[in-house]
mmCIF file with all atom_site columns, all heavy atoms in Angstrom:
data_model
loop_
_atom_site.group_PDB
_atom_site.id
_atom_site.type_symbol
_atom_site.label_atom_id
_atom_site.label_alt_id
_atom_site.label_comp_id
_atom_site.label_asym_id
_atom_site.label_entity_id
_atom_site.label_seq_id
_atom_site.pdbx_PDB_ins_code
_atom_site.Cartn_x
_atom_site.Cartn_y
_atom_site.Cartn_z
_atom_site.occupancy
_atom_site.B_iso_or_equiv
_atom_site.pdbx_formal_charge
_atom_site.auth_seq_id
_atom_site.auth_comp_id
_atom_site.auth_asym_id
_atom_site.auth_atom_id
_atom_site.pdbx_PDB_model_num
ATOM 1   N N   . GLN A 1 1  ? -22.441 -1.628  9.281  1.00 43.00 ? 45 GLN A N   1
ATOM 2   C CA  . GLN A 1 1  ? -21.227 -1.903  10.037 1.00 43.00 ? 45 GLN A CA  1
ATOM 3   C C   . GLN A 1 1  ? -21.556 -2.926  11.107 1.00 43.00 ? 45 GLN A C   1
ATOM 4   O O   . GLN A 1 1  ? -22.530 -2.793  11.834 1.00 43.00 ? 45 GLN A O   1
ATOM 5   C CB  . GLN A 1 1  ? -20.729 -0.618  10.696 1.00 43.00 ? 45 GLN A CB  1
ATOM 6   C CG  . GLN A 1 1  ? -19.309 -0.692  11.202 1.00 43.00 ? 45 GLN A CG  1
ATOM 7   C CD  . GLN A 1 1  ? -18.863 0.672   11.667 1.00 43.00 ? 45 GLN A CD  1
ATOM 8   O OE1 . GLN A 1 1  ? -19.673 1.550   11.902 1.00 43.00 ? 45 GLN A OE1 1
ATOM 9   N NE2 . GLN A 1 1  ? -17.587 0.861   11.794 1.00 43.00 ? 45 GLN A NE2 1
ATOM 10  N N   . GLN A 1 2  ? -20.770 -3.974  11.195 1.00 43.00 ? 46 GLN A N   1
ATOM 11  C CA  . GLN A 1 2  ? -21.052 -5.056  12.121 1.00 43.00 ? 46 GLN A CA  1
ATOM 12  C C   . GLN A 1 2  ? -20.155 -5.033  13.344 1.00 43.00 ? 46 GLN A C   1
ATOM 13  O O   . GLN A 1 2  ? -20.405 -5.772  14.280 1.00 43.00 ? 46 GLN A O   1
ATOM 14  C CB  . GLN A 1 2  ? -20.885 -6.404  11.425 1.00 43.00 ? 46 GLN A CB  1
ATOM 15  C CG  . GLN A 1 2  ? -21.995 -6.698  10.429 1.00 43.00 ? 46 GLN A CG  1
ATOM 16  C CD  . GLN A 1 2  ? -21.879 -8.088  9.875  1.00 43.00 ? 46 GLN A CD  1
ATOM 17  O OE1 . GLN A 1 2  ? -20.784 -8.557  9.613  1.00 43.00 ? 46 GLN A OE1 1
ATOM 18  N NE2 . GLN A 1 2  ? -22.989 -8.740  9.689  1.00 43.00 ? 46 GLN A NE2 1
ATOM 19  N N   . MET A 1 3  ? -19.125 -4.263  13.339 1.00 48.00 ? 47 MET A N   1
ATOM 20  C CA  . MET A 1 3  ? -18.228 -4.241  14.480 1.00 48.00 ? 47 MET A CA  1
ATOM 21  C C   . MET A 1 3  ? -17.730 -2.834  14.710 1.00 48.00 ? 47 MET A C   1
ATOM 22  O O   . MET A 1 3  ? -17.916 -1.962  13.874 1.00 48.00 ? 47 MET A O   1
ATOM 23  C CB  . MET A 1 3  ? -17.058 -5.220  14.291 1.00 48.00 ? 47 MET A CB  1
ATOM 24  C CG  . MET A 1 3  ? -16.029 -4.817  13.245 1.00 48.00 ? 47 MET A CG  1
ATOM 25  S SD  . MET A 1 3  ? -16.627 -4.833  11.561 1.00 48.00 ? 47 MET A SD  1
ATOM 26  C CE  . MET A 1 3  ? -16.973 -6.566  11.385 1.00 48.00 ? 47 MET A CE  1
ATOM 27  N N   . GLY A 1 4  ? -17.143 -2.584  15.825 1.00 55.00 ? 48 GLY A N   1
ATOM 28  C CA  . GLY A 1 4  ? -16.637 -1.254  16.139 1.00 55.00 ? 48 GLY A CA  1
ATOM 29  C C   . GLY A 1 4  ? -15.419 -1.352  17.015 1.00 55.00 ? 48 GLY A C   1
ATOM 30  O O   . GLY A 1 4  ? -14.922 -2.417  17.296 1.00 55.00 ? 48 GLY A O   1
ATOM 31  N N   . GLY A 1 5  ? -14.966 -0.207  17.484 1.00 60.00 ? 49 GLY A N   1
ATOM 32  C CA  . GLY A 1 5  ? -13.771 -0.208  18.329 1.00 60.00 ? 49 GLY A CA  1
ATOM 33  C C   . GLY A 1 5  ? -12.607 0.412   17.595 1.00 60.00 ? 49 GLY A C   1
ATOM 34  O O   . GLY A 1 5  ? -12.766 1.207   16.673 1.00 60.00 ? 49 GLY A O   1
ATOM 35  N N   . GLY A 1 6  ? -11.425 0.052   17.978 1.00 68.00 ? 50 GLY A N   1
ATOM 36  C CA  . GLY A 1 6  ? -10.242 0.592   17.334 1.00 68.00 ? 50 GLY A CA  1
ATOM 37  C C   . GLY A 1 6  ? -9.026  0.391   18.195 1.00 68.00 ? 50 GLY A C   1
ATOM 38  O O   . GLY A 1 6  ? -9.049  -0.306  19.204 1.00 68.00 ? 50 GLY A O   1
ATOM 39  N N   . GLY A 1 7  ? -7.929  0.996   17.799 1.00 69.00 ? 51 GLY A N   1
ATOM 40  C CA  . GLY A 1 7  ? -6.685  0.850   18.546 1.00 69.00 ? 51 GLY A CA  1
ATOM 41  C C   . GLY A 1 7  ? -5.623  1.787   18.039 1.00 69.00 ? 51 GLY A C   1
ATOM 42  O O   . GLY A 1 7  ? -5.797  2.505   17.056 1.00 69.00 ? 51 GLY A O   1
ATOM 43  N N   . GLY A 1 8  ? -4.520  1.786   18.710 1.00 72.00 ? 52 GLY A N   1
ATOM 44  C CA  . GLY A 1 8  ? -3.396  2.634   18.341 1.00 72.00 ? 52 GLY A CA  1
ATOM 45  C C   . GLY A 1 8  ? -2.200  2.275   19.192 1.00 72.00 ? 52 GLY A C   1
ATOM 46  O O   . GLY A 1 8  ? -2.262  1.403   20.058 1.00 72.00 ? 52 GLY A O   1
ATOM 47  N N   . GLY A 1 9  ? -1.104  2.944   18.946 1.00 73.00 ? 53 GLY A N   1
ATOM 48  C CA  . GLY A 1 9  ? 0.107   2.642   19.710 1.00 73.00 ? 53 GLY A CA  1
ATOM 49  C C   . GLY A 1 9  ? 1.244   3.558   19.333 1.00 73.00 ? 53 GLY A C   1
ATOM 50  O O   . GLY A 1 9  ? 1.042   4.630   18.772 1.00 73.00 ? 53 GLY A O   1
ATOM 51  N N   . GLY A 1 10 ? 2.442   3.110   19.634 1.00 75.00 ? 54 GLY A N   1
ATOM 52  C CA  . GLY A 1 10 ? 3.635   3.875   19.345 1.00 75.00 ? 54 GLY A CA  1
ATOM 53  C C   . GLY A 1 10 ? 4.634   3.779   20.480 1.00 75.00 ? 54 GLY A C   1
ATOM 54  O O   . GLY A 1 10 ? 4.384   3.161   21.522 1.00 75.00 ? 54 GLY A O   1
ATOM 55  N N   . ASP A 1 11 ? 5.807   4.382   20.274 1.00 80.00 ? 55 ASP A N   1
ATOM 56  C CA  . ASP A 1 11 ? 6.853   4.381   21.300 1.00 80.00 ? 55 ASP A CA  1
ATOM 57  C C   . ASP A 1 11 ? 7.409   5.791   21.508 1.00 80.00 ? 55 ASP A C   1
ATOM 58  O O   . ASP A 1 11 ? 8.595   5.968   21.765 1.00 80.00 ? 55 ASP A O   1
ATOM 59  C CB  . ASP A 1 11 ? 7.971   3.405   20.925 1.00 80.00 ? 55 ASP A CB  1
ATOM 60  C CG  . ASP A 1 11 ? 8.601   3.730   19.572 1.00 80.00 ? 55 ASP A CG  1
ATOM 61  O OD1 . ASP A 1 11 ? 8.175   4.723   18.925 1.00 80.00 ? 55 ASP A OD1 1
ATOM 62  O OD2 . ASP A 1 11 ? 9.516   3.008   19.160 1.00 80.00 ? 55 ASP A OD2 1
ATOM 63  N N   . ASN A 1 12 ? 6.528   6.796   21.380 1.00 85.00 ? 56 ASN A N   1
ATOM 64  C CA  . ASN A 1 12 ? 6.916   8.201   21.564 1.00 85.00 ? 56 ASN A CA  1
ATOM 65  C C   . ASN A 1 12 ? 7.997   8.645   20.581 1.00 85.00 ? 56 ASN A C   1
ATOM 66  O O   . ASN A 1 12 ? 8.858   9.472   20.905 1.00 85.00 ? 56 ASN A O   1
ATOM 67  C CB  . ASN A 1 12 ? 7.397   8.434   23.006 1.00 85.00 ? 56 ASN A CB  1
ATOM 68  C CG  . ASN A 1 12 ? 6.328   8.122   24.025 1.00 85.00 ? 56 ASN A CG  1
ATOM 69  O OD1 . ASN A 1 12 ? 5.202   8.575   23.904 1.00 85.00 ? 56 ASN A OD1 1
ATOM 70  N ND2 . ASN A 1 12 ? 6.664   7.337   25.034 1.00 85.00 ? 56 ASN A ND2 1
ATOM 71  N N   . SER A 1 13 ? 7.932   8.123   19.378 1.00 85.00 ? 57 SER A N   1
ATOM 72  C CA  . SER A 1 13 ? 8.900   8.499   18.355 1.00 85.00 ? 57 SER A CA  1
ATOM 73  C C   . SER A 1 13 ? 8.546   9.883   17.792 1.00 85.00 ? 57 SER A C   1
ATOM 74  O O   . SER A 1 13 ? 7.366   10.208  17.646 1.00 85.00 ? 57 SER A O   1
ATOM 75  C CB  . SER A 1 13 ? 8.916   7.458   17.238 1.00 85.00 ? 57 SER A CB  1
ATOM 76  O OG  . SER A 1 13 ? 9.726   7.884   16.157 1.00 85.00 ? 57 SER A OG  1
ATOM 77  N N   . PRO A 1 14 ? 9.525   10.693  17.443 1.00 85.00 ? 58 PRO A N   1
ATOM 78  C CA  . PRO A 1 14 ? 9.208   12.001  16.844 1.00 85.00 ? 58 PRO A CA  1
ATOM 79  C C   . PRO A 1 14 ? 8.696   11.887  15.419 1.00 85.00 ? 58 PRO A C   1
ATOM 80  O O   . PRO A 1 14 ? 8.120   12.841  14.887 1.00 85.00 ? 58 PRO A O   1
ATOM 81  C CB  . PRO A 1 14 ? 10.544  12.750  16.904 1.00 85.00 ? 58 PRO A CB  1
ATOM 82  C CG  . PRO A 1 14 ? 11.579  11.669  16.919 1.00 85.00 ? 58 PRO A CG  1
ATOM 83  C CD  . PRO A 1 14 ? 10.978  10.528  17.662 1.00 85.00 ? 58 PRO A CD  1
ATOM 84  N N   . LEU A 1 15 ? 8.877   10.728  14.779 1.00 86.00 ? 59 LEU A N   1
ATOM 85  C CA  . LEU A 1 15 ? 8.447   10.527  13.393 1.00 86.00 ? 59 LEU A CA  1
ATOM 86  C C   . LEU A 1 15 ? 7.069   9.890   13.364 1.00 86.00 ? 59 LEU A C   1
ATOM 87  O O   . LEU A 1 15 ? 6.706   9.133   14.266 1.00 86.00 ? 59 LEU A O   1
ATOM 88  C CB  . LEU A 1 15 ? 9.430   9.628   12.654 1.00 86.00 ? 59 LEU A CB  1
ATOM 89  C CG  . LEU A 1 15 ? 10.868  10.154  12.533 1.00 86.00 ? 59 LEU A CG  1
ATOM 90  C CD1 . LEU A 1 15 ? 11.748  9.106   11.855 1.00 86.00 ? 59 LEU A CD1 1
ATOM 91  C CD2 . LEU A 1 15 ? 10.894  11.466  11.751 1.00 86.00 ? 59 LEU A CD2 1
ATOM 92  N N   . PRO A 1 16 ? 6.256   10.181  12.350 1.00 87.00 ? 60 PRO A N   1
ATOM 93  C CA  . PRO A 1 16 ? 4.953   9.527   12.242 1.00 87.00 ? 60 PRO A CA  1
ATOM 94  C C   . PRO A 1 16 ? 5.112   8.041   11.933 1.00 87.00 ? 60 PRO A C   1
ATOM 95  O O   . PRO A 1 16 ? 6.178   7.580   11.508 1.00 87.00 ? 60 PRO A O   1
ATOM 96  C CB  . PRO A 1 16 ? 4.280   10.277  11.088 1.00 87.00 ? 60 PRO A CB  1
ATOM 97  C CG  . PRO A 1 16 ? 5.402   10.813  10.273 1.00 87.00 ? 60 PRO A CG  1
ATOM 98  C CD  . PRO A 1 16 ? 6.496   11.142  11.260 1.00 87.00 ? 60 PRO A CD  1
ATOM 99  N N   . ALA A 1 17 ? 4.048   7.297   12.180 1.00 86.00 ? 61 ALA A N   1
ATOM 100 C CA  . ALA A 1 17 ? 4.084   5.857   11.927 1.00 86.00 ? 61 ALA A CA  1
ATOM 101 C C   . ALA A 1 17 ? 4.361   5.590   10.460 1.00 86.00 ? 61 ALA A C   1
ATOM 102 O O   . ALA A 1 17 ? 3.844   6.271   9.569  1.00 86.00 ? 61 ALA A O   1
ATOM 103 C CB  . ALA A 1 17 ? 2.763   5.223   12.345 1.00 86.00 ? 61 ALA A CB  1
ATOM 104 N N   . SER A 1 18 ? 5.173   4.573   10.206 1.00 87.00 ? 62 SER A N   1
ATOM 105 C CA  . SER A 1 18 ? 5.559   4.255   8.826  1.00 87.00 ? 62 SER A CA  1
ATOM 106 C C   . SER A 1 18 ? 4.575   3.278   8.201  1.00 87.00 ? 62 SER A C   1
ATOM 107 O O   . SER A 1 18 ? 3.835   2.577   8.886  1.00 87.00 ? 62 SER A O   1
ATOM 108 C CB  . SER A 1 18 ? 6.966   3.652   8.819  1.00 87.00 ? 62 SER A CB  1
ATOM 109 O OG  . SER A 1 18 ? 7.034   2.516   9.653  1.00 87.00 ? 62 SER A OG  1
ATOM 110 N N   . LYS A 1 19 ? 4.588   3.255   6.874  1.00 87.00 ? 63 LYS A N   1
ATOM 111 C CA  . LYS A 1 19 ? 3.696   2.388   6.118  1.00 87.00 ? 63 LYS A CA  1
ATOM 112 C C   . LYS A 1 19 ? 4.203   0.956   6.171  1.00 87.00 ? 63 LYS A C   1
ATOM 113 O O   . LYS A 1 19 ? 5.414   0.701   6.165  1.00 87.00 ? 63 LYS A O   1
ATOM 114 C CB  . LYS A 1 19 ? 3.604   2.867   4.672  1.00 87.00 ? 63 LYS A CB  1
ATOM 115 C CG  . LYS A 1 19 ? 2.502   2.221   3.842  1.00 87.00 ? 63 LYS A CG  1
ATOM 116 C CD  . LYS A 1 19 ? 2.483   2.808   2.453  1.00 87.00 ? 63 LYS A CD  1
ATOM 117 C CE  . LYS A 1 19 ? 1.316   2.277   1.626  1.00 87.00 ? 63 LYS A CE  1
ATOM 118 N NZ  . LYS A 1 19 ? 0.012   2.708   2.150  1.00 87.00 ? 63 LYS A NZ  1
ATOM 119 N N   . GLY A 1 20 ? 3.286   0.003   6.218  1.00 87.00 ? 64 GLY A N   1
ATOM 120 C CA  . GLY A 1 20 ? 3.662   -1.408  6.237  1.00 87.00 ? 64 GLY A CA  1
ATOM 121 C C   . GLY A 1 20 ? 2.420   -2.267  6.291  1.00 87.00 ? 64 GLY A C   1
ATOM 122 O O   . GLY A 1 20 ? 1.288   -1.785  6.282  1.00 87.00 ? 64 GLY A O   1
ATOM 123 N N   . ARG A 1 21 ? 2.637   -3.553  6.340  1.00 86.00 ? 65 ARG A N   1
ATOM 124 C CA  . ARG A 1 21 ? 1.499   -4.475  6.380  1.00 86.00 ? 65 ARG A CA  1
ATOM 125 C C   . ARG A 1 21 ? 1.055   -4.689  7.822  1.00 86.00 ? 65 ARG A C   1
ATOM 126 O O   . ARG A 1 21 ? 1.862   -4.622  8.764  1.00 86.00 ? 65 ARG A O   1
ATOM 127 C CB  . ARG A 1 21 ? 1.862   -5.804  5.721  1.00 86.00 ? 65 ARG A CB  1
ATOM 128 C CG  . ARG A 1 21 ? 2.970   -6.583  6.412  1.00 86.00 ? 65 ARG A CG  1
ATOM 129 C CD  . ARG A 1 21 ? 3.346   -7.805  5.581  1.00 86.00 ? 65 ARG A CD  1
ATOM 130 N NE  . ARG A 1 21 ? 4.439   -8.549  6.195  1.00 86.00 ? 65 ARG A NE  1
ATOM 131 C CZ  . ARG A 1 21 ? 4.257   -9.611  6.994  1.00 86.00 ? 65 ARG A CZ  1
ATOM 132 N NH1 . ARG A 1 21 ? 3.025   -10.015 7.263  1.00 86.00 ? 65 ARG A NH1 1
ATOM 133 N NH2 . ARG A 1 21 ? 5.298   -10.249 7.504  1.00 86.00 ? 65 ARG A NH2 1
ATOM 134 N N   . ALA A 1 22 ? -0.234  -4.922  7.988  1.00 85.00 ? 66 ALA A N   1
ATOM 135 C CA  . ALA A 1 22 ? -0.806  -5.158  9.312  1.00 85.00 ? 66 ALA A CA  1
ATOM 136 C C   . ALA A 1 22 ? -0.683  -6.631  9.671  1.00 85.00 ? 66 ALA A C   1
ATOM 137 O O   . ALA A 1 22 ? -0.749  -7.500  8.795  1.00 85.00 ? 66 ALA A O   1
ATOM 138 C CB  . ALA A 1 22 ? -2.265  -4.729  9.339  1.00 85.00 ? 66 ALA A CB  1
ATOM 139 N N   . PRO A 1 23 ? -0.506  -6.950  10.949 1.00 85.00 ? 67 PRO A N   1
ATOM 140 C CA  . PRO A 1 23 ? -0.449  -8.364  11.349 1.00 85.00 ? 67 PRO A CA  1
ATOM 141 C C   . PRO A 1 23 ? -1.819  -9.006  11.251 1.00 85.00 ? 67 PRO A C   1
ATOM 142 O O   . PRO A 1 23 ? -2.828  -8.341  11.013 1.00 85.00 ? 67 PRO A O   1
ATOM 143 C CB  . PRO A 1 23 ? 0.054   -8.295  12.789 1.00 85.00 ? 67 PRO A CB  1
ATOM 144 C CG  . PRO A 1 23 ? -0.379  -6.963  13.270 1.00 85.00 ? 67 PRO A CG  1
ATOM 145 C CD  . PRO A 1 23 ? -0.322  -6.042  12.079 1.00 85.00 ? 67 PRO A CD  1
ATOM 146 N N   . LYS A 1 24 ? -1.851  -10.292 11.452 1.00 84.00 ? 68 LYS A N   1
ATOM 147 C CA  . LYS A 1 24 ? -3.127  -11.005 11.325 1.00 84.00 ? 68 LYS A CA  1
ATOM 148 C C   . LYS A 1 24 ? -4.034  -10.704 12.515 1.00 84.00 ? 68 LYS A C   1
ATOM 149 O O   . LYS A 1 24 ? -3.586  -10.318 13.594 1.00 84.00 ? 68 LYS A O   1
ATOM 150 C CB  . LYS A 1 24 ? -2.880  -12.512 11.213 1.00 84.00 ? 68 LYS A CB  1
ATOM 151 C CG  . LYS A 1 24 ? -2.347  -13.148 12.481 1.00 84.00 ? 68 LYS A CG  1
ATOM 152 C CD  . LYS A 1 24 ? -2.225  -14.662 12.307 1.00 84.00 ? 68 LYS A CD  1
ATOM 153 C CE  . LYS A 1 24 ? -1.781  -15.340 13.609 1.00 84.00 ? 68 LYS A CE  1
ATOM 154 N NZ  . LYS A 1 24 ? -1.685  -16.809 13.448 1.00 84.00 ? 68 LYS A NZ  1
ATOM 155 N N   . ALA A 1 25 ? -5.328  -10.888 12.278 1.00 81.00 ? 69 ALA A N   1
ATOM 156 C CA  . ALA A 1 25 ? -6.321  -10.654 13.327 1.00 81.00 ? 69 ALA A CA  1
ATOM 157 C C   . ALA A 1 25 ? -6.434  -11.871 14.225 1.00 81.00 ? 69 ALA A C   1
ATOM 158 O O   . ALA A 1 25 ? -6.272  -13.015 13.781 1.00 81.00 ? 69 ALA A O   1
ATOM 159 C CB  . ALA A 1 25 ? -7.674  -10.344 12.698 1.00 81.00 ? 69 ALA A CB  1
#
């Protein structure tokens, strides 16, 4: 593994995050 870290987010929605494509790095 060459890198580490991570992330997350949301807007306090009662529903779990939906499936979709990730934006570019």
Side-chain angles (χ1 to χ4, degrees):
Q45 195 173 17
Q46 288 186 321
M47 71 292 296
D55 58 1
N56 300 311
S57 173
L59 299 176
S62 56
K63 192 178 185 66
R65 63 186 178 96
K68 68 176 184 179

